[in-house]
Amino acid sequence: MYDVIVLFDGYSENTEMGSCANCSCVLLKGKDNIIVDTLTPWDGEKLQQKLWNNDINCEDIKYVVCTHGHSDHTGCNYLFSNAKLIVGFSISSRDLYFDHDFAGGKPYIINEFVKVIPTPGHTLEDVSVIVETKDRGLVAITGDLFEKEQDLSDDSLWKSVGSGHDDMQQENRNKILKQVDWIVPGHGPMFKVPDHYK
Ligand SMILES: [Zn+2]
């Protein structure tokens, strides 16, 4: 079983200069240490410090999962030299790229507690991480499939930042809501899934 440690809560807001956003960054501490979404390239020092606070060095991370390829979700991948990278549908280690049929719906099993599943919609190659935890049941780290908790009642929050494949995204949102207890969305704090979705 795993501990889900949200290192940084994601956020997004509109400003006069444009939208200001960074992603939720999550440490999954357990059998294989995993980090999900790695902020922007300007966040390396603070990310490293946060990991040290949790008794983890960058070299201890076995997998880096980026829920999709946008720059605010992939920026510090360079810190994790011992990790296998899963960036959207692409799996690699150094210069080696592995075949995996995410496009055909196949989950990628990291171990008996953690899997990565295809959940396209925000981009056509989004993935989500599903993890069994010690104290919260099943948790999904979804990236921008969910923008923040408030988008459960206000569709415009996720539709306005998506790629226009709203039907596909809605379908994958429903699938996640049915199966998990908690969600870490791309740009807001972790929230509990309301019971009526079950
Ligand atoms: Zn994002």
Side-chain angles (χ1 to χ4, degrees):
M1 298 278 201
Y2 271 77
D3 284 318
V4 173
I5 301 167
V6 179
L7 299 175
F8 297 95
D9 280 327
Y11 60 86
S12 62
E13 56 190 279
N14 292 318
T15 71
E16 280 178 12
M17 306 266 286
S19 77
C20 178
N22 211 338
C23 70
S24 301
C25 174
V26 179
L27 170 65
L28 303 180
K29 209 173 169 186
K31 185 175 180 184
D32 302 298
N33 293 307
I34 301 162
I35 194 155
V36 186
D37 286 345
T38 62
L39 308 165
T40 79
W42 291 270
D43 299 311
E45 273 180 42
K46 76 173 193 186
L47 176 50
Q48 210 161 3
Q49 188 62 53
K50 259 286 163 59
L51 286 169
W52 287 336
N53 297 346
N54 286 284
D55 300 317
I56 296 280
N57 289 310
C58 291
E59 304 81 61
D60 302 330
I61 299 292
K62 293 274 286 290
Y63 290 88
V64 173
V65 182
C66 300
T67 54
H68 59 293
H70 288 164
S71 59
D72 58 330
H73 295 256
T74 58
C76 293
N77 290 3
Y78 64 89
L79 288 174
F80 305 102
S81 52
N82 290 333
K84 192 178 237 190
L85 290 182
I86 302 173
V87 180
F89 285 7
S90 166
I91 305 176
S92 65
S93 177
R94 297 181 186 269
D95 59 355
L96 205 58
Y97 285 77
F98 304 95
D99 289 331
H100 185 83
D101 192 17
F102 279 125
K106 191 179 173 193
Y108 181 88
I109 310 295
I110 288 182
N111 58 45
E112 65 267 49
F113 306 117
V114 190
K115 63 182 176 183
V116 182
I117 63 168
T119 52
H122 174 70
T123 73
L124 289 176
E125 299 201 349
D126 272 52
V127 295
S128 295
V129 180
I130 311 289
V131 54
E132 276 182 50
T133 69
K134 290 174 183 154
D135 51 359
R136 290 183 194 269
L138 216 51
V139 177
I141 300 100
T142 65
D144 298 359
L145 182 66
F146 294 87
E147 177 79 0
K148 52 187 68 170
E149 181 175 10
Q150 292 78 359
D151 80 9
L152 292 180
S153 52
D154 181 356
D155 285 342
S156 71
L157 291 176
W158 60 270
K159 287 183 175 173
S160 63
V161 293
S163 56
H165 295 86
D166 294 351
D167 292 349
M168 194 188 284
Q169 188 163 351
Q170 184 71 69
E171 192 179 312
N172 282 314
R173 285 165 60 91
N174 293 345
K175 201 162 74 180
I176 293 286
L177 287 167
K178 257 192 209 118
Q179 61 174 294
V180 307
D181 303 296
W182 290 79
I183 288 175
V184 182
H187 295 276
M190 172 154 56
F191 63 88
K192 192 167 189 335
V193 177
D195 288 337
H196 67 264
Y197 287 104
K198 294 288 181 308

